[in-house]
Structures are given as C-alpha cells and as structure tokens.
Amino acid sequence: MRKESVTIRYLVAALCLSVPIIYWLLHLRYRIDNVDDAWSFAWAYQWQVNGIIEDIVFRGGTQLEGSSFSMLYRLLYGWVGATFGWTKSNAHLVSTVLVVGASALWTLALKKLGYKSGFCLLFGLLFLLVEPIFGAANQARTDALSLVWIAAAVWSASRRSGLGVGFFTILAFENHPAAAVHAGGFGLAVLGYSIFSGSDGRVRRAALQKVSLGLIAGTAIGGLLYFVLHYNTLGYLTATFAQARRMEVYGVRNYFFSYFFLTRYLRHIPELVLLLLIFILAYRRNFYRRARLEALLLGVTLAASVLIARPNFHYVAFAYPAFLLLFLSFGDHWEKLGLMATGLGLFFTLQYCWVYWQQGNYDFREQTRRLSLTLADDDLPVFGTAEAWFAFYDRDFRHLSVPEGGLPAPGRGFYLVRKTPDRYALSPTLERLLDDYSLSRISDLKFPGGIITVDKAIPVESEQPAPE
C-alpha cells in the first residue's frame, strides 16, 4: 500500500474526530452578537406565528426587502422553531445539518465525476472545516440552505441531469439570487465537463439534446414552484434588486475583496497567497490541461463575483468549494494530497482554537435566560439589541435601528435593552422618542464581551405630580 494512501486514511480518521469536536466547542460561541441570527430567524418567526412576510423587527415593515425570496427558509426554520423552540441553538443546528448535507452532495458528485474515494472524503470533511462554510453552519442566515441547493445542482450535473440543475438553480434563486448564480454556473460547468470529457460524436450530441430539454423542464418546474410561493409579491421583485444596489456603500463591490482584505485580523490573506501561488505554478506547469473542471469552476467563481457585484463576504461560502477542489487537486497532482489537506486542516483549526480561547467562556443560553427574567410580564414593547430578540421574540420587539415607520405605539412606555459595546446605535427616530421619556434603570447584566443594560422608558408627563 502506498504511503500516501496510509496518510490519507489517518487524515480522514483525524478529521472525522476533530470536525465534530470543533463544531461542538464553538456552538453558540463562534460569532458573538451576530445581527444576522436574529434578523433571519425573525423572518421565520413572523411568518410562522403571525403570517407576516415583511421584516418588522429591523425594518419596521416599511421595506419589503426579501419579500420575494426565502419562503422555503421561512417554512423550514419556522417549522423547527415552532416544534423545538425559537432558540439560537436550534437555528444553528438546522444550518449545521444543511451544511453537512451539502458536503455529502459535493462528495457524491466528485465521486461520480471520477475522483478517488480518499480524495472525495478529504474534500467532504474539509468542506465542513473551511471558515466561510463553517461560518454558514454556525449562524441562522439563509446561506446554509443556499449551499444545499448549489450542491444539489452540482450533484445533478454529475449525473447529467439537466432537469435537476434547472430545478435546483431556481430553488437557489428563491433562497438568494447570489446562490442562483453559483448553482447555475457550477451546474452548467459540471454538465459541460461531464458530457464533453466522457463522450464524443453522436453520443455527445444526444446527451446535449437531452440535457437541454431537461434544463428547460427543470427551470419551468422550479419557476412554477417559485410562482406558487411568491405570486403575491412578484411586483416587488424589481424594487428588491434596486434596493440591494442602493444599499451598498463600499468602494469595491466584490465579495472576494471583502473576504480577503476587510475581515478581522486579515486572517484570510494566507489563503489568498496559496491561491495565487497555485494559480501561477499551475499555469506554468500546464496543470489546467488535466484539471479542466477545476479551471472551469474557478472561472465561474470569478465571473460570479463580478456579476453579483456586492461586497458581502458571506457569499464566499458559495464559491469556496471551487477553491477547495483546486487546492486538493493541485496537491494530488504532485502526490502531496496529504500534505495539502493537513496544511488546510491545521490552518483553519488553529483559527478555531484562537476563537475558543477568546470566547470559550461565553454562555449565550444563560445570557438569554437572565435577560428574559428582567422584564415584567406586561404588554410594553421592547427596543433592544439583535441578541435580545431571542429573549423577547414573543413580545412586541424592535431592533434599536428601527426606522420611524416601524415604531410600535409606545403607549404607557417601553423597555430599552442595550449592550456596550454595540456597533448599532439608536436610530434617530428612537433618539427623538427618548426626549419625551425618562429612563429608569432595571438591571445591569455583566457577561463576557460586554454589559447589557435594561431600562424602562416612562412618559415624562406621567411622572409629574397631579395639580392640587
């Protein structure tokens, strides 16, 4: 037995042990104060409980952003929340299960395309470990479901199913347009690779015809499902895309730029250096002549980043499977697959060790429990941080940034939950509202990462003594 094969077996065993441990240790600790957790899960809650599509927690119902997307997300996460509880843990566990499913689909697709079993297993395990995808598995955003639809499109393409590629691309679009670009791009690339590398002449023409008809049928079926889910909000689709463009404030509208150069500690620069080295060496050594699929998928990711033109680093999770495949294929080409996989595994594991060392004592469940006990059981609305939503989701809750159109009637007063530090300041509307209220401190809760203050806002006139 080759030494490389033995090394790969040991690596697979080590990753099978270490990946679940890392997920367990960093559950609810990976991204503290992540606004997207409450922002996304609140969509599912509002739809499941109140039948409301609009985002009323953060945008106050004044904008229909997202109303033409993510209904399947609302249905899935909403069912989990209603069945098992509206906790951040449950939301994250759903995302983790979805990412594991995406990993399995990519692994099966690569196996079908002719990659070796050890290679496919390493890819599937490292898929769960690379930071952008690990991040998607540890938050409540729609990204985890997007990864499933992208992986399903690739898996369908590996089986030369145009029907599956078309259908899952539309499902990806229903979840997030950026996901659809990657699902469609990857799916078409794998379809083309599978057909042109595995057949010729009359067989190829017949395969192309069959795949084309399947693409049309799959897109039509997916489009019909999309219509059923969103027929009453189709009129907002154009406005949603326009709003997405207007909200950008960055100078460089590219998610790769944000990922490599704008994330904390510039921790992804080593990945960029590795990518550039491989790109140069691969070009000089004619590596892409045998690694045509890797080249195709890499081209899709670069084109997608230009087409999408949004600087949201979360989108790198959709593209990263192409990077991971390139890294491992390059190592395998030089008979250094074990070394490449070991290097990638250690690089990301050391980052997670650092996060655990910094945030291992953070207990979100206890924070939520203590916070929920601070307020009286009354009908006063609550303005608070994103994380506070999980303590008060069943009350009339609004985020601190809520605009004027989203303010509930303050009535006899309201509660104000803040945390220092918090990158989200009070909205100007809420600042003006406080001019007519006095704040009475209820509690100061100290937790790792900051202090949570809870105040009760009482109308000024109610404090004045009645005239004699």
Side-chain angles (χ1 to χ4, degrees):
M1 182 178 295
R2 291 174 53 199
K3 183 178 179 180
E4 180 74 3
S5 299
V6 176
T7 302
I8 290 173
R9 287 190 177 186
Y10 280 121
L11 275 174
V12 169
L15 288 171
C16 286
L17 178 64
S18 61
V19 170
I21 292 176
I22 291 172
Y23 271 79
W24 175 64
L25 291 175
L26 291 183
H27 182 62
L28 299 183
R29 297 188 179 99
Y30 186 58
R31 285 181 176 147
I32 296 177
D33 295 329
N34 182 15
V35 66
D36 286 325
D37 284 325
W39 197 336
S40 302
F41 207 32
W43 297 348
Y45 178 83
Q46 292 298 335
W47 171 253
Q48 180 74 25
V49 177
N50 301 318
I52 298 174
I53 296 178
E54 297 90 342
D55 166 28
I56 69 170
V57 173
F58 287 80
R59 298 301 178 97
T62 59
Q63 299 183 39
L64 292 169
E65 180 183 355
S67 61
S68 298
F69 304 101
S70 305
M71 181 57 71
L72 293 177
Y73 169 91
R74 290 177 172 90
L75 293 173
L76 174 60
Y77 282 71
W79 174 80
V80 171
T83 305
F84 301 102
W86 296 95
T87 67
K88 186 195 285 191
S89 178
N90 287 336
H92 284 200
L93 287 174
V94 177
S95 296
T96 298
V97 171
L98 290 173
V99 168
V100 171
S103 170
L105 288 171
W106 269 98
T107 301
L108 292 173
L110 293 179
K111 180 64 177 176
K112 184 69 175 179
L113 292 169
Y115 289 84
K116 294 177 292 186
S117 297
F119 181 99
C120 295
L121 288 174
L122 285 177
F123 179 94
L125 290 166
L126 288 172
F127 183 98
L128 301 173
L129 202 59
V130 295
E131 197 277 335
I133 297 174
F134 183 86
N138 284 276
Q139 60 182 342
R141 279 172 58 95
T142 62
D143 298 346
L145 188 55
S146 291
L147 285 170
V148 169
W149 300 142
I150 294 169
V154 172
W155 174 77
S156 298
S158 72
R159 304 176 65 85
R160 297 189 182 182
S161 172
L163 179 73
V165 172
F167 179 71
F168 289 118
T169 297
I170 298 300
L171 291 191
F173 177 80
E174 193 280 330
N175 198 54
H176 198 294
V181 175
H182 292 84
F186 286 165
L188 291 176
V190 173
L191 274 177
Y193 172 82
S194 176
I195 292 173
F196 282 91
S197 64
S199 58
D200 55 14
R202 183 178 301 176
V203 176
R204 180 182 297 171
R205 288 192 296 272
L208 285 172
Q209 183 179 14
K210 181 180 179 181
V211 163
S212 298
L213 292 175
L215 280 170
I216 295 172
T219 302
I221 296 172
L224 179 62
L225 177 60
Y226 180 86
F227 177 80
V228 171
L229 293 171
H230 297 284
Y231 68 92
N232 57 340
T233 59
L234 289 177
Y236 300 111
L237 194 57
T238 302
T240 300
F241 283 113
Q243 172 65 20
R245 289 288 182 177
R246 288 196 300 269
M247 68 184 291
E248 302 300 348
V249 296
Y250 297 93
V252 181
R253 294 187 174 187
N254 187 280
Y255 55 78
F256 286 134
F257 180 85
S258 299
Y259 178 76
F260 289 122
F261 299 110
L262 298 182
T263 48
R264 187 179 298 178
Y265 308 125
L266 296 176
R267 62 188 185 276
H268 300 300
I269 291 297
E271 299 160 66
L272 178 61
V273 172
L274 177 61
L275 185 65
L276 293 176
L277 284 175
I278 290 178
F279 180 79
I280 295 172
L281 292 175
Y283 179 78
R284 295 181 61 181
R285 303 295 178 89
N286 294 322
F287 169 72
Y288 293 118
R289 287 187 177 181
R290 65 168 296 275
R292 294 178 180 177
L293 179 59
E294 288 80 354
L296 283 172
L297 296 184
L298 185 61
V300 168
T301 63
L302 297 177
S305 71
V306 174
L307 179 62
I308 295 171
R310 293 193 68 192
N312 191 330
F313 69 90
H314 291 293
Y315 299 164
V316 175
F318 307 153
Y320 214 93
F323 289 173
L324 181 59
L325 182 61
L326 176 65
F327 293 157
L328 295 181
S329 294
F330 188 79
D332 189 43
H333 177 71
W334 298 104
E335 297 185 354
K336 299 295 182 183
L337 176 60
L339 179 62
M340 178 66 75
T342 300
L344 291 172
L346 287 175
F347 173 72
F348 288 109
T349 299
L350 289 175
Q351 291 189 38
Y352 302 140
C353 289
W354 168 260
V355 174
Y356 185 76
W357 184 70
Q358 292 284 315
Q359 302 173 174
N361 60 343
Y362 180 72
D363 190 341
F364 180 76
R365 293 187 181 92
E366 177 63 14
Q367 172 180 303
T368 302
R369 186 191 69 82
R370 290 178 58 188
L371 185 58
S372 64
L373 296 175
T374 59
L375 303 191
D377 186 15
D378 52 29
D379 59 350
L380 297 185
V382 181
F383 297 93
T385 63
E387 298 261 285
W389 180 86
F390 290 96
F392 307 117
Y393 63 86
D394 53 351
R395 299 181 66 119
D396 195 356
F397 182 92
R398 298 293 188 275
H399 187 251
L400 295 173
S401 64
V402 66
E404 183 174 3
L407 287 176
R412 294 177 287 113
F414 56 89
Y415 294 102
L416 185 62
V417 182
R418 290 176 285 185
K419 183 176 181 179
T420 54
D422 188 352
R423 63 191 181 98
Y424 286 92
L426 298 182
S427 68
T429 300
L430 194 52
E431 287 275 14
R432 292 192 296 270
L433 184 65
L434 288 177
D435 291 339
D436 299 323
Y437 291 79
S438 64
L439 295 181
S440 174
R441 180 60 47 89
I442 296 177
S443 180
D444 286 308
L445 303 176
K446 295 183 179 180
F447 297 100
I451 300 175
I452 298 177
T453 61
V454 182
D455 296 298
K456 184 175 183 179
I458 304 171
V460 174
E461 59 270 17
S462 67
E463 291 188 331
Q464 297 176 355
E468 296 181 358

